[in-house]
PDB file of all heavy atoms in Angstrom:
ATOM      1  N   LEU A  91      21.816  47.061  -2.947  1.00  0.00           N
ATOM      2  CA  LEU A  91      23.005  46.776  -3.705  1.00  0.00           C
ATOM      3  C   LEU A  91      22.732  46.904  -5.219  1.00  0.00           C
ATOM      4  O   LEU A  91      23.574  47.435  -5.963  1.00  0.00           O
ATOM      5  CB  LEU A  91      23.430  45.327  -3.347  1.00  0.00           C
ATOM      6  CG  LEU A  91      24.685  44.830  -4.029  1.00  0.00           C
ATOM      7  CD1 LEU A  91      25.919  45.648  -3.639  1.00  0.00           C
ATOM      8  CD2 LEU A  91      24.927  43.333  -3.738  1.00  0.00           C
ATOM      9  N   ALA A  92      21.615  46.389  -5.679  1.00  0.00           N
ATOM     10  CA  ALA A  92      21.284  46.474  -7.104  1.00  0.00           C
ATOM     11  C   ALA A  92      21.155  47.945  -7.517  1.00  0.00           C
ATOM     12  O   ALA A  92      21.601  48.362  -8.575  1.00  0.00           O
ATOM     13  CB  ALA A  92      19.999  45.713  -7.383  1.00  0.00           C
ATOM     14  N   ARG A  93      20.581  48.747  -6.661  1.00  0.00           N
ATOM     15  CA  ARG A  93      20.384  50.185  -6.969  1.00  0.00           C
ATOM     16  C   ARG A  93      21.708  50.978  -6.992  1.00  0.00           C
ATOM     17  O   ARG A  93      21.912  51.805  -7.890  1.00  0.00           O
ATOM     18  CB  ARG A  93      19.452  50.816  -5.926  1.00  0.00           C
ATOM     19  CG  ARG A  93      19.075  52.268  -6.243  1.00  0.00           C
ATOM     20  CD  ARG A  93      17.912  52.758  -5.311  1.00  0.00           C
ATOM     21  NE  ARG A  93      18.297  52.706  -3.918  1.00  0.00           N
ATOM     22  CZ  ARG A  93      17.783  51.851  -3.044  1.00  0.00           C
ATOM     23  NH1 ARG A  93      16.836  50.975  -3.385  1.00  0.00           N
ATOM     24  NH2 ARG A  93      18.173  51.871  -1.779  1.00  0.00           N
ATOM     25  N   THR A  94      22.609  50.684  -6.086  1.00  0.00           N
ATOM     26  CA  THR A  94      23.836  51.454  -6.005  1.00  0.00           C
ATOM     27  C   THR A  94      24.913  50.937  -7.033  1.00  0.00           C
ATOM     28  O   THR A  94      25.752  51.741  -7.417  1.00  0.00           O
ATOM     29  CB  THR A  94      24.460  51.356  -4.601  1.00  0.00           C
ATOM     30  OG1 THR A  94      24.653  49.990  -4.255  1.00  0.00           O
ATOM     31  CG2 THR A  94      23.560  51.974  -3.569  1.00  0.00           C
ATOM     32  N   THR A  95      24.831  49.640  -7.397  1.00  0.00           N
ATOM     33  CA  THR A  95      25.825  49.167  -8.378  1.00  0.00           C
ATOM     34  C   THR A  95      25.346  49.036  -9.788  1.00  0.00           C
ATOM     35  O   THR A  95      26.136  48.933 -10.722  1.00  0.00           O
ATOM     36  CB  THR A  95      26.261  47.743  -7.890  1.00  0.00           C
ATOM     37  OG1 THR A  95      25.166  46.858  -7.957  1.00  0.00           O
ATOM     38  CG2 THR A  95      26.881  47.781  -6.507  1.00  0.00           C
ATOM     39  N   GLY A  96      24.011  49.039  -9.969  1.00  0.00           N
ATOM     40  CA  GLY A  96      23.489  48.798 -11.296  1.00  0.00           C
ATOM     41  C   GLY A  96      23.520  47.369 -11.753  1.00  0.00           C
ATOM     42  O   GLY A  96      23.114  47.067 -12.883  1.00  0.00           O
ATOM     43  N   ALA A  97      24.003  46.423 -10.872  1.00  0.00           N
ATOM     44  CA  ALA A  97      24.083  45.077 -11.197  1.00  0.00           C
ATOM     45  C   ALA A  97      22.762  44.318 -11.027  1.00  0.00           C
ATOM     46  O   ALA A  97      21.914  44.776 -10.252  1.00  0.00           O
ATOM     47  CB  ALA A  97      25.159  44.411 -10.311  1.00  0.00           C
ATOM     48  N   THR A  98      22.596  43.230 -11.783  1.00  0.00           N
ATOM     49  CA  THR A  98      21.525  42.298 -11.485  1.00  0.00           C
ATOM     50  C   THR A  98      21.970  41.430 -10.289  1.00  0.00           C
ATOM     51  O   THR A  98      23.015  40.760 -10.410  1.00  0.00           O
ATOM     52  CB  THR A  98      21.260  41.434 -12.716  1.00  0.00           C
ATOM     53  OG1 THR A  98      20.737  42.251 -13.752  1.00  0.00           O
ATOM     54  CG2 THR A  98      20.196  40.347 -12.368  1.00  0.00           C
ATOM     55  N   VAL A  99      21.287  41.466  -9.231  1.00  0.00           N
ATOM     56  CA  VAL A  99      21.710  40.826  -7.970  1.00  0.00           C
ATOM     57  C   VAL A  99      20.757  39.671  -7.659  1.00  0.00           C
ATOM     58  O   VAL A  99      19.522  39.819  -7.771  1.00  0.00           O
ATOM     59  CB  VAL A  99      21.734  41.798  -6.768  1.00  0.00           C
ATOM     60  CG1 VAL A  99      22.277  41.118  -5.547  1.00  0.00           C
ATOM     61  CG2 VAL A  99      22.653  43.014  -7.140  1.00  0.00           C
ATOM     62  N   GLY A 100      21.304  38.531  -7.308  1.00  0.00           N
ATOM     63  CA  GLY A 100      20.456  37.370  -7.042  1.00  0.00           C
ATOM     64  C   GLY A 100      20.986  36.525  -5.856  1.00  0.00           C
ATOM     65  O   GLY A 100      22.165  36.612  -5.468  1.00  0.00           O
ATOM     66  N   ILE A 101      20.074  35.708  -5.325  1.00  0.00           N
ATOM     67  CA  ILE A 101      20.405  34.734  -4.299  1.00  0.00           C
ATOM     68  C   ILE A 101      20.139  33.370  -4.905  1.00  0.00           C
ATOM     69  O   ILE A 101      19.118  33.098  -5.558  1.00  0.00           O
ATOM     70  CB  ILE A 101      19.521  34.910  -3.054  1.00  0.00           C
ATOM     71  CG1 ILE A 101      19.835  36.324  -2.453  1.00  0.00           C
ATOM     72  CG2 ILE A 101      19.737  33.819  -2.020  1.00  0.00           C
ATOM     73  CD1 ILE A 101      18.914  36.650  -1.232  1.00  0.00           C
ATOM     74  N   SER A 102      21.128  32.474  -4.707  1.00  0.00           N
ATOM     75  CA  SER A 102      21.031  31.135  -5.240  1.00  0.00           C
ATOM     76  C   SER A 102      21.308  30.026  -4.278  1.00  0.00           C
ATOM     77  O   SER A 102      22.017  30.234  -3.254  1.00  0.00           O
ATOM     78  CB  SER A 102      21.969  31.001  -6.429  1.00  0.00           C
ATOM     79  OG  SER A 102      21.765  31.980  -7.442  1.00  0.00           O
ATOM     80  N   VAL A 103      20.849  28.818  -4.562  1.00  0.00           N
ATOM     81  CA  VAL A 103      21.158  27.626  -3.792  1.00  0.00           C
ATOM     82  C   VAL A 103      21.462  26.510  -4.777  1.00  0.00           C
ATOM     83  O   VAL A 103      21.177  26.581  -5.967  1.00  0.00           O
ATOM     84  CB  VAL A 103      19.983  27.179  -2.863  1.00  0.00           C
ATOM     85  CG1 VAL A 103      19.747  28.255  -1.807  1.00  0.00           C
ATOM     86  CG2 VAL A 103      18.740  26.952  -3.684  1.00  0.00           C
ATOM     87  N   LEU A 104      22.093  25.431  -4.228  1.00  0.00           N
ATOM     88  CA  LEU A 104      22.328  24.220  -5.042  1.00  0.00           C
ATOM     89  C   LEU A 104      21.157  23.305  -4.941  1.00  0.00           C
ATOM     90  O   LEU A 104      20.699  22.928  -3.887  1.00  0.00           O
ATOM     91  CB  LEU A 104      23.553  23.511  -4.551  1.00  0.00           C
ATOM     92  CG  LEU A 104      24.934  23.976  -5.032  1.00  0.00           C
ATOM     93  CD1 LEU A 104      26.019  23.182  -4.379  1.00  0.00           C
ATOM     94  CD2 LEU A 104      25.005  23.935  -6.553  1.00  0.00           C
ATOM     95  N   ARG A 105      20.659  22.877  -6.117  1.00  0.00           N
ATOM     96  CA  ARG A 105      19.597  21.870  -6.176  1.00  0.00           C
ATOM     97  C   ARG A 105      19.820  20.990  -7.422  1.00  0.00           C
ATOM     98  O   ARG A 105      20.043  21.505  -8.520  1.00  0.00           O
ATOM     99  CB  ARG A 105      18.204  22.527  -6.292  1.00  0.00           C
ATOM    100  CG  ARG A 105      17.713  23.168  -5.000  1.00  0.00           C
ATOM    101  CD  ARG A 105      17.485  22.142  -3.936  1.00  0.00           C
ATOM    102  NE  ARG A 105      16.993  22.774  -2.652  1.00  0.00           N
ATOM    103  CZ  ARG A 105      17.765  23.227  -1.681  1.00  0.00           C
ATOM    104  NH1 ARG A 105      19.030  23.262  -1.839  1.00  0.00           N
ATOM    105  NH2 ARG A 105      17.205  23.728  -0.600  1.00  0.00           N
TER     106      ARG A 105
END
Side-chain angles (χ1 to χ4, degrees):
L91 181 64
R93 186 169 60 249
T94 57
T95 63
T98 295
V99 182
I101 296 173
S102 304
V103 295
L104 276 179
R105 287 295 181 273

